[in-house]
Amino acid sequence: MSQDPTHGPEPAVKLAARRRREVVAVLLFSGSPMFESSIPLSVFGVDRQDAGVPRYRLLACAGEEGPLRTTGGLELRAPYGLGAVARAGTVIVPAWRSITGPPPAAALAALRRAHSEGARIVGLCTGAFALGAAGLLDGRPATTHWMYAPTLAKRYPSVHVDPRELFVDDGDILTSAGTAAGIDLCLHIVRQDHGPEAAAALARRLVLPPRRGNGVETGQHRHLDRSLPEDIGADPLAEVVAWALEHLHEQFDVETLAARAYMSRRTFDRRFRALTGSAPLQWLITQRVLQAQRLLEVSDYSVDEVAGRCGFRSPVALRGHFRRQLGASPAAYRAAYRARQQDSTAGRAKPVGDGFSPRLPGQRGRPAP
Protein backbone atom coordinates (compact mmCIF):
# COMPACT_ATOMS: atom_id res chain seq x y z
CA MET A 1 0.00 0.00 0.00
CA SER A 2 2.84 2.37 -0.68
CA GLN A 3 1.35 5.69 -1.61
CA ASP A 4 2.28 8.45 -3.99
CA PRO A 5 3.75 11.22 -1.83
CA THR A 6 1.64 13.85 -3.58
CA HIS A 7 -1.59 12.08 -2.70
CA GLY A 8 -0.88 10.47 0.69
CA PRO A 9 -3.02 11.34 3.69
CA GLU A 10 -2.12 14.38 5.78
CA PRO A 11 -1.08 14.02 9.43
CA ALA A 12 -4.14 14.03 11.68
CA VAL A 13 -2.65 16.40 14.27
CA LYS A 14 -0.82 19.67 13.70
CA LEU A 15 2.86 19.45 14.60
CA ALA A 16 3.60 20.95 18.02
CA ALA A 17 5.50 24.23 17.93
CA ARG A 18 8.61 22.84 19.65
CA ARG A 19 8.94 20.03 17.13
CA ARG A 20 10.57 20.40 13.72
CA ARG A 21 9.87 18.12 10.76
CA GLU A 22 13.54 18.19 9.70
CA VAL A 23 14.60 16.90 13.13
CA VAL A 24 14.68 13.09 13.01
CA ALA A 25 14.94 11.07 16.21
CA VAL A 26 16.06 7.46 15.84
CA LEU A 27 15.28 5.20 18.80
CA LEU A 28 18.01 2.61 19.38
CA PHE A 29 17.69 -0.42 21.63
CA SER A 30 20.06 -3.06 22.91
CA GLY A 31 19.89 -6.28 20.93
CA SER A 32 18.82 -4.62 17.69
CA PRO A 33 20.66 -5.60 14.48
CA MET A 34 23.32 -3.16 13.34
CA PHE A 35 22.31 -3.11 9.67
CA GLU A 36 18.69 -2.09 10.21
CA SER A 37 19.69 0.45 12.87
CA SER A 38 22.21 2.06 10.55
CA ILE A 39 19.71 2.74 7.73
CA PRO A 40 18.09 5.92 9.10
CA LEU A 41 21.40 7.00 10.60
CA SER A 42 22.96 6.93 7.14
CA VAL A 43 20.02 8.45 5.27
CA PHE A 44 19.25 11.29 7.70
CA GLY A 45 22.52 11.71 9.60
CA VAL A 46 24.98 12.51 6.80
CA ASP A 47 25.27 15.99 5.29
CA ARG A 48 24.84 15.57 1.53
CA GLN A 49 23.90 19.13 0.61
CA ASP A 50 26.68 19.11 -1.98
CA ALA A 51 24.66 16.42 -3.83
CA GLY A 52 21.43 18.40 -3.69
CA VAL A 53 19.97 16.64 -0.66
CA PRO A 54 18.50 18.99 1.98
CA ARG A 55 19.97 18.45 5.42
CA TYR A 56 18.15 16.80 8.31
CA ARG A 57 19.18 17.03 11.93
CA LEU A 58 19.60 13.56 13.37
CA LEU A 59 19.12 12.73 17.04
CA ALA A 60 20.32 9.22 17.83
CA CYS A 61 18.41 8.41 21.02
CA ALA A 62 18.84 5.54 23.44
CA GLY A 63 15.46 3.94 23.97
CA GLU A 64 16.70 2.40 27.22
CA GLU A 65 19.68 2.55 29.57
CA GLY A 66 22.99 1.87 27.86
CA PRO A 67 25.41 0.77 26.75
CA LEU A 68 23.44 -0.71 23.90
CA ARG A 69 24.77 -4.02 22.61
CA THR A 70 24.17 -4.80 18.96
CA THR A 71 25.21 -7.28 16.26
CA GLY A 72 28.56 -8.93 16.88
CA GLY A 73 28.70 -7.83 20.50
CA LEU A 74 29.42 -4.20 19.64
CA GLU A 75 28.46 -1.57 22.19
CA LEU A 76 26.85 1.74 21.25
CA ARG A 77 26.49 4.89 23.31
CA ALA A 78 23.77 7.12 21.90
CA PRO A 79 24.40 10.85 22.40
CA TYR A 80 20.76 11.52 23.34
CA GLY A 81 18.14 9.99 25.56
CA LEU A 82 14.36 9.84 25.29
CA GLY A 83 14.06 13.48 26.30
CA ALA A 84 15.39 14.54 22.90
CA VAL A 85 12.44 12.87 21.17
CA ALA A 86 10.34 15.86 22.25
CA ARG A 87 12.10 18.00 19.62
CA ALA A 88 11.61 15.63 16.68
CA GLY A 89 8.99 15.93 13.97
CA THR A 90 9.93 12.47 12.71
CA VAL A 91 10.56 9.54 15.05
CA ILE A 92 11.97 6.30 13.64
CA VAL A 93 12.22 2.88 15.29
CA PRO A 94 14.55 0.98 12.93
CA ALA A 95 14.21 -2.34 14.75
CA TRP A 96 13.04 -3.96 17.96
CA ARG A 97 14.83 -6.96 19.38
CA SER A 98 11.79 -9.05 20.30
CA ILE A 99 8.61 -9.92 18.42
CA THR A 100 7.07 -11.25 21.63
CA GLY A 101 8.00 -8.66 24.26
CA PRO A 102 7.18 -4.92 24.44
CA PRO A 103 9.81 -2.18 24.52
CA PRO A 104 10.39 -0.26 27.76
CA ALA A 105 7.37 1.68 29.02
CA ALA A 106 9.25 4.98 28.82
CA ALA A 107 10.02 4.45 25.12
CA LEU A 108 6.38 3.59 24.37
CA ALA A 109 5.24 6.70 26.24
CA ALA A 110 7.65 8.83 24.18
CA LEU A 111 6.24 7.37 20.96
CA ARG A 112 2.65 8.03 22.04
CA ARG A 113 3.47 11.58 23.09
CA ALA A 114 5.26 12.30 19.84
CA HIS A 115 2.32 11.01 17.83
CA SER A 116 -0.20 13.01 19.87
CA GLU A 117 1.82 16.14 19.11
CA GLY A 118 1.76 15.57 15.36
CA ALA A 119 5.11 13.86 14.82
CA ARG A 120 5.51 11.39 11.97
CA ILE A 121 6.17 7.92 13.44
CA VAL A 122 8.09 5.32 11.42
CA GLY A 123 8.71 1.64 12.09
CA LEU A 124 11.25 -0.16 9.92
CA CYS A 125 11.09 -3.95 9.75
CA THR A 126 10.56 -5.25 13.32
CA GLY A 127 10.23 -1.66 14.52
CA ALA A 128 6.56 -2.12 13.64
CA PHE A 129 6.24 -4.25 16.78
CA ALA A 130 7.23 -1.25 18.90
CA LEU A 131 4.56 0.85 17.19
CA GLY A 132 2.07 -1.95 17.75
CA ALA A 133 2.96 -2.17 21.44
CA ALA A 134 2.41 1.59 21.73
CA GLY A 135 -1.07 1.18 20.24
CA LEU A 136 -0.22 3.39 17.27
CA LEU A 137 -1.13 0.78 14.64
CA ASP A 138 -4.62 -0.01 15.94
CA GLY A 139 -7.12 0.05 13.08
CA ARG A 140 -4.40 0.97 10.59
CA PRO A 141 -2.71 -0.75 7.65
CA ALA A 142 0.89 -1.79 8.29
CA THR A 143 3.62 -4.12 7.14
CA THR A 144 6.76 -5.71 8.52
CA HIS A 145 9.27 -8.38 7.50
CA TRP A 146 7.35 -11.18 5.74
CA MET A 147 8.62 -13.76 8.24
CA TYR A 148 7.15 -11.86 11.19
CA ALA A 149 3.94 -10.59 9.60
CA PRO A 150 1.77 -13.46 10.94
CA THR A 151 3.07 -12.80 14.46
CA LEU A 152 2.34 -9.08 14.16
CA ALA A 153 -1.20 -9.86 13.02
CA LYS A 154 -1.64 -12.39 15.82
CA ARG A 155 -0.34 -10.10 18.58
CA TYR A 156 -2.26 -7.03 17.38
CA PRO A 157 -5.49 -8.28 15.75
CA SER A 158 -6.82 -4.78 15.03
CA VAL A 159 -3.85 -4.02 12.75
CA HIS A 160 -4.38 -4.63 9.02
CA VAL A 161 -1.10 -6.39 8.24
CA ASP A 162 -0.10 -6.80 4.59
CA PRO A 163 3.27 -8.56 4.16
CA ARG A 164 3.19 -8.08 0.37
CA GLU A 165 4.00 -4.37 0.54
CA LEU A 166 7.49 -2.87 0.57
CA PHE A 167 6.18 -0.13 2.82
CA VAL A 168 2.89 1.36 3.97
CA ASP A 169 2.35 5.12 4.22
CA ASP A 170 -0.70 5.88 6.35
CA GLY A 171 0.05 9.58 6.70
CA ASP A 172 1.42 10.05 10.21
CA ILE A 173 2.32 6.36 10.66
CA LEU A 174 4.65 4.57 8.24
CA THR A 175 6.00 1.02 8.30
CA SER A 176 8.30 -1.00 6.06
CA ALA A 177 9.08 -4.64 5.35
CA GLY A 178 12.62 -6.06 5.66
CA THR A 179 16.02 -4.41 5.47
CA ALA A 180 16.04 -3.20 1.86
CA ALA A 181 12.46 -1.96 2.17
CA GLY A 182 13.57 0.22 5.08
CA ILE A 183 15.82 2.07 2.66
CA ASP A 184 12.89 2.41 0.26
CA LEU A 185 10.76 3.97 2.98
CA CYS A 186 13.48 6.41 4.02
CA LEU A 187 13.82 7.53 0.40
CA HIS A 188 10.02 7.89 0.29
CA ILE A 189 10.18 10.22 3.30
CA VAL A 190 12.82 12.37 1.60
CA ARG A 191 10.62 12.41 -1.51
CA GLN A 192 7.66 13.55 0.60
CA ASP A 193 9.61 16.31 2.30
CA HIS A 194 11.71 17.67 -0.54
CA GLY A 195 10.42 16.24 -3.81
CA PRO A 196 11.55 13.60 -6.32
CA GLU A 197 14.75 15.39 -7.33
CA ALA A 198 16.12 15.34 -3.79
CA ALA A 199 15.18 11.68 -3.38
CA ALA A 200 16.78 10.82 -6.73
CA ALA A 201 19.97 12.66 -5.74
CA LEU A 202 20.13 10.75 -2.49
CA ALA A 203 19.49 7.45 -4.29
CA ARG A 204 22.34 8.18 -6.69
CA ARG A 205 24.66 8.87 -3.78
CA LEU A 206 23.63 5.61 -2.12
CA VAL A 207 23.81 3.76 -5.49
CA LEU A 208 20.18 2.68 -5.32
CA PRO A 209 17.19 2.84 -7.65
CA PRO A 210 15.23 6.00 -6.74
CA ARG A 211 11.96 4.12 -6.37
CA ARG A 212 10.99 0.46 -6.30
CA GLY A 213 7.38 -0.36 -7.05
CA ASN A 214 5.34 -3.50 -6.56
CA GLY A 215 4.21 -4.13 -10.11
CA VAL A 216 5.57 -6.36 -12.84
CA GLU A 217 5.03 -3.49 -15.25
CA THR A 218 8.11 -1.78 -13.79
CA GLY A 219 10.17 -4.97 -13.79
CA GLN A 220 9.92 -5.30 -10.02
CA HIS A 221 8.13 -8.34 -8.65
CA ARG A 222 6.20 -8.91 -5.49
CA HIS A 223 7.28 -12.04 -3.69
CA LEU A 224 5.07 -14.37 -1.71
CA ASP A 225 6.34 -16.98 0.69
CA ARG A 226 4.94 -20.14 2.19
CA SER A 227 6.81 -19.70 5.47
CA LEU A 228 4.77 -19.98 8.63
CA PRO A 229 5.32 -18.94 12.25
CA GLU A 230 8.24 -20.73 13.85
CA ASP A 231 6.04 -22.27 16.55
CA ILE A 232 3.60 -23.95 14.17
CA GLY A 233 5.38 -27.29 14.46
CA ALA A 234 4.05 -27.71 17.98
CA ASP A 235 0.45 -27.04 16.97
CA PRO A 236 -2.03 -29.79 16.00
CA LEU A 237 -2.78 -27.92 12.79
CA ALA A 238 0.80 -28.38 11.56
CA GLU A 239 -0.01 -31.75 9.96
CA VAL A 240 -3.00 -30.28 8.12
CA VAL A 241 -0.92 -27.36 6.84
CA ALA A 242 1.82 -29.72 5.66
CA TRP A 243 -0.74 -31.89 3.85
CA ALA A 244 -2.21 -28.81 2.13
CA LEU A 245 1.21 -27.70 0.87
CA GLU A 246 1.92 -31.18 -0.52
CA HIS A 247 -1.44 -31.43 -2.32
CA LEU A 248 -1.82 -27.99 -3.86
CA HIS A 249 -2.20 -29.67 -7.27
CA GLU A 250 -5.49 -31.15 -6.08
CA GLN A 251 -8.80 -29.30 -5.90
CA PHE A 252 -9.80 -29.11 -2.26
CA ASP A 253 -11.28 -26.35 -0.12
CA VAL A 254 -11.17 -25.15 3.47
CA GLU A 255 -13.94 -27.57 4.43
CA THR A 256 -11.57 -30.40 3.45
CA LEU A 257 -8.86 -29.01 5.71
CA ALA A 258 -11.30 -28.57 8.59
CA ALA A 259 -12.42 -32.18 8.21
CA ARG A 260 -8.80 -33.39 8.27
CA ALA A 261 -8.33 -31.44 11.51
CA TYR A 262 -11.53 -32.97 12.93
CA MET A 263 -12.97 -29.50 13.51
CA SER A 264 -16.03 -27.58 12.44
CA ARG A 265 -15.41 -24.96 9.77
CA ARG A 266 -16.00 -22.17 12.31
CA THR A 267 -13.57 -23.63 14.86
CA PHE A 268 -10.99 -24.33 12.17
CA ASP A 269 -11.21 -20.76 10.85
CA ARG A 270 -10.72 -19.36 14.34
CA ARG A 271 -7.80 -21.65 15.22
CA PHE A 272 -6.09 -21.14 11.86
CA ARG A 273 -6.33 -17.35 12.06
CA ALA A 274 -5.03 -17.36 15.64
CA LEU A 275 -2.06 -19.47 14.57
CA THR A 276 -1.07 -17.77 11.32
CA GLY A 277 -2.73 -14.34 11.40
CA SER A 278 -4.49 -15.16 8.13
CA ALA A 279 -7.88 -16.55 7.19
CA PRO A 280 -7.49 -20.14 5.89
CA LEU A 281 -9.14 -19.41 2.55
CA GLN A 282 -6.83 -16.45 1.87
CA TRP A 283 -3.81 -18.50 2.95
CA LEU A 284 -4.79 -21.35 0.63
CA ILE A 285 -5.28 -19.01 -2.33
CA THR A 286 -1.91 -17.39 -1.64
CA GLN A 287 -0.18 -20.79 -1.62
CA ARG A 288 -1.81 -21.69 -4.94
CA VAL A 289 -0.73 -18.39 -6.46
CA LEU A 290 2.80 -18.93 -5.14
CA GLN A 291 2.88 -22.38 -6.76
CA ALA A 292 1.67 -20.88 -10.02
CA GLN A 293 4.33 -18.18 -9.80
CA ARG A 294 7.04 -20.81 -9.50
CA LEU A 295 5.70 -22.91 -12.37
CA LEU A 296 5.54 -19.85 -14.61
CA GLU A 297 9.19 -19.19 -13.81
CA VAL A 298 10.63 -22.69 -14.25
CA SER A 299 8.33 -24.51 -16.68
CA ASP A 300 6.84 -24.15 -20.15
CA TYR A 301 3.34 -25.18 -19.10
CA SER A 302 0.59 -23.05 -20.60
CA VAL A 303 -1.40 -20.83 -18.25
CA ASP A 304 -4.28 -23.31 -18.47
CA GLU A 305 -1.98 -26.17 -17.47
CA VAL A 306 -0.51 -24.12 -14.62
CA ALA A 307 -4.01 -23.45 -13.31
CA GLY A 308 -4.77 -27.17 -13.24
CA ARG A 309 -1.47 -28.06 -11.57
CA CYS A 310 -2.09 -25.51 -8.80
CA GLY A 311 -5.59 -26.62 -7.88
CA PHE A 312 -7.51 -23.75 -9.48
CA ARG A 313 -10.89 -24.78 -10.85
CA SER A 314 -10.33 -22.76 -14.03
CA PRO A 315 -7.72 -20.55 -15.74
CA VAL A 316 -10.06 -17.61 -15.12
CA ALA A 317 -9.80 -18.17 -11.37
CA LEU A 318 -5.99 -18.30 -11.60
CA ARG A 319 -5.82 -15.09 -13.61
CA GLY A 320 -8.06 -13.20 -11.19
CA HIS A 321 -6.23 -14.24 -8.04
CA PHE A 322 -2.81 -13.88 -9.66
CA ARG A 323 -3.49 -10.32 -10.77
CA ARG A 324 -4.91 -9.33 -7.39
CA GLN A 325 -1.92 -10.67 -5.48
CA LEU A 326 0.95 -9.98 -7.87
CA GLY A 327 -0.30 -7.03 -9.88
CA ALA A 328 -0.08 -8.63 -13.33
CA SER A 329 -1.57 -11.42 -15.42
CA PRO A 330 0.24 -14.80 -15.43
CA ALA A 331 1.33 -14.29 -19.04
CA ALA A 332 2.70 -10.79 -18.32
CA TYR A 333 4.49 -12.05 -15.24
CA ARG A 334 6.18 -14.88 -17.18
CA ALA A 335 7.23 -12.53 -20.00
CA ALA A 336 8.67 -9.96 -17.58
CA TYR A 337 10.45 -12.65 -15.56
CA ARG A 338 12.09 -14.18 -18.63
CA ALA A 339 13.09 -10.80 -20.01
CA ARG A 340 14.71 -9.99 -16.68
CA GLN A 341 16.55 -13.31 -16.67
CA GLN A 342 17.83 -12.69 -20.19
CA ASP A 343 19.01 -9.21 -19.25
CA SER A 344 20.74 -10.62 -16.19
CA THR A 345 22.51 -13.28 -18.24
CA ALA A 346 23.57 -10.73 -20.84
CA GLY A 347 24.88 -8.44 -18.11
CA ARG A 348 27.03 -11.20 -16.59
CA ALA A 349 28.47 -11.98 -20.01
CA LYS A 350 29.81 -8.45 -20.42
CA PRO A 351 33.56 -8.08 -19.76
CA VAL A 352 34.72 -5.98 -16.83
CA GLY A 353 35.04 -2.35 -17.85
CA ASP A 354 32.19 -2.49 -20.38
CA GLY A 355 30.39 0.33 -18.63
CA PHE A 356 28.32 0.41 -15.48
CA SER A 357 25.53 -2.16 -15.40
CA PRO A 358 23.35 -1.59 -12.31
CA ARG A 359 21.56 -4.51 -10.71
CA LEU A 360 17.92 -4.66 -11.66
CA PRO A 361 15.53 -4.13 -8.76
CA GLY A 362 13.98 -7.54 -9.34
CA GLN A 363 17.36 -9.21 -8.80
CA ARG A 364 17.57 -8.06 -5.22
CA GLY A 365 17.02 -10.91 -2.76
CA ARG A 366 14.38 -10.94 -0.04
CA PRO A 367 15.32 -8.62 2.83
CA ALA A 368 17.06 -10.45 5.66
CA PRO A 369 15.40 -10.60 9.02
Side-chain angles (χ1 to χ4, degrees):
M1 176 172 165
S2 56
Q3 296 181 351
D4 187 302
T6 61
H7 296 91
E10 294 296 326
V13 180
K14 184 178 179 181
L15 190 65
R18 70 174 181 277
R19 295 182 182 271
R20 295 289 181 270
R21 185 68 73 190
E22 67 275 9
V23 177
V24 178
V26 178
L27 287 188
L28 301 172
F29 297 96
S30 188
S32 296
M34 175 69 81
F35 192 6
E36 284 82 349
S37 300
S38 70
I39 290 172
L41 301 180
S42 178
V43 171
F44 300 106
V46 178
D47 185 355
R48 298 186 177 91
Q49 294 181 88
D50 62 322
V53 182
R55 186 174 184 177
Y56 288 86
R57 182 182 179 191
L58 180 80
L59 304 176
C61 304
E64 58 191 339
E65 292 296 323
L68 309 177
R69 291 177 175 81
T70 184
T71 308
L74 299 177
E75 290 189 354
L76 303 177
R77 294 186 181 274
Y80 299 96
L82 287 173
V85 176
R87 290 180 275 160
T90 301
V91 182
I92 301 177
V93 183
W96 171 238
R97 62 176 172 262
S98 171
I99 63 173
T100 58
L108 297 180
L111 288 171
R112 295 187 192 103
R113 188 178 308 113
H115 180 251
S116 69
E117 295 179 351
R120 176 173 50 191
I121 311 297
V122 182
L124 307 182
C125 195
T126 54
F129 284 84
L131 274 58
L136 301 182
L137 298 181
D138 292 350
R140 290 176 177 265
T143 192
T144 187
H145 191 285
W146 57 269
M147 189 165 63
Y148 305 128
T151 304
L152 183 66
K154 182 178 178 180
R155 285 185 61 82
Y156 307 106
S158 66
V159 181
H160 308 299
V161 181
D162 189 346
R164 297 170 297 174
E165 297 293 352
L166 292 176
F167 61 84
V168 173
D169 177 351
D170 197 41
D172 53 349
I173 301 289
L174 302 91
T175 52
S176 80
T179 303
I183 303 174
D184 292 313
L185 180 50
C186 288
L187 285 174
H188 172 72
I189 291 171
V190 174
R191 189 180 300 110
Q192 277 187 320
D193 292 347
H194 302 293
E197 291 185 3
L202 176 58
R204 285 194 298 272
R205 181 60 66 91
L206 297 174
V207 196
L208 294 167
R211 186 194 295 241
R212 291 196 302 157
N214 285 331
V216 172
E217 293 80 359
T218 57
Q220 302 154 10
H221 306 299
R222 295 179 184 177
H223 290 274
L224 304 175
D225 196 273
R226 64 173 51 180
S227 297
L228 293 162
E230 295 175 359
D231 59 352
I232 192 173
D235 192 278
L237 291 183
E239 184 177 346
V240 175
V241 169
W243 181 89
L245 292 174
E246 292 173 1
H247 293 80
L248 289 174
H249 59 284
E250 301 177 11
Q251 291 186 9
F252 61 87
D253 53 21
V254 177
E255 280 75 10
T256 302
L257 299 180
R260 292 189 67 86
Y262 302 101
M263 297 177 186
S264 68
R265 171 63 188 271
R266 183 175 181 179
T267 300
F268 181 79
D269 283 4
R270 177 174 54 79
R271 288 283 307 279
F272 194 94
R273 185 184 289 275
L275 179 66
T276 69
S278 174
L281 178 58
Q282 184 57 52
W283 177 86
L284 181 58
I285 291 172
T286 297
Q287 301 313 310
R288 295 195 189 283
V289 170
L290 172 60
Q291 186 81 343
Q293 182 184 15
R294 290 173 173 167
L295 287 179
L296 290 167
E297 292 174 355
V298 303
S299 77
D300 292 322
Y301 294 131
S302 69
V303 173
D304 289 12
E305 289 174 317
V306 168
R309 290 175 178 271
C310 296
F312 287 102
R313 297 186 182 280
S314 70
V316 173
L318 166 62
R319 291 186 179 95
H321 290 301
F322 199 96
R323 181 177 290 278
R324 276 191 292 273
Q325 296 207 29
L326 292 170
S329 69
Y333 178 88
R334 169 178 274 169
Y337 177 84
R338 291 185 174 179
R340 182 166 58 90
Q341 293 298 102
Q342 291 174 357
D343 289 345
S344 176
T345 302
R348 288 194 299 269
K350 290 182 179 180
V352 176
D354 189 28
F356 173 65
S357 178
R359 176 179 293 183
L360 295 173
Q363 291 177 272
R364 182 182 295 179
R366 185 182 297 282

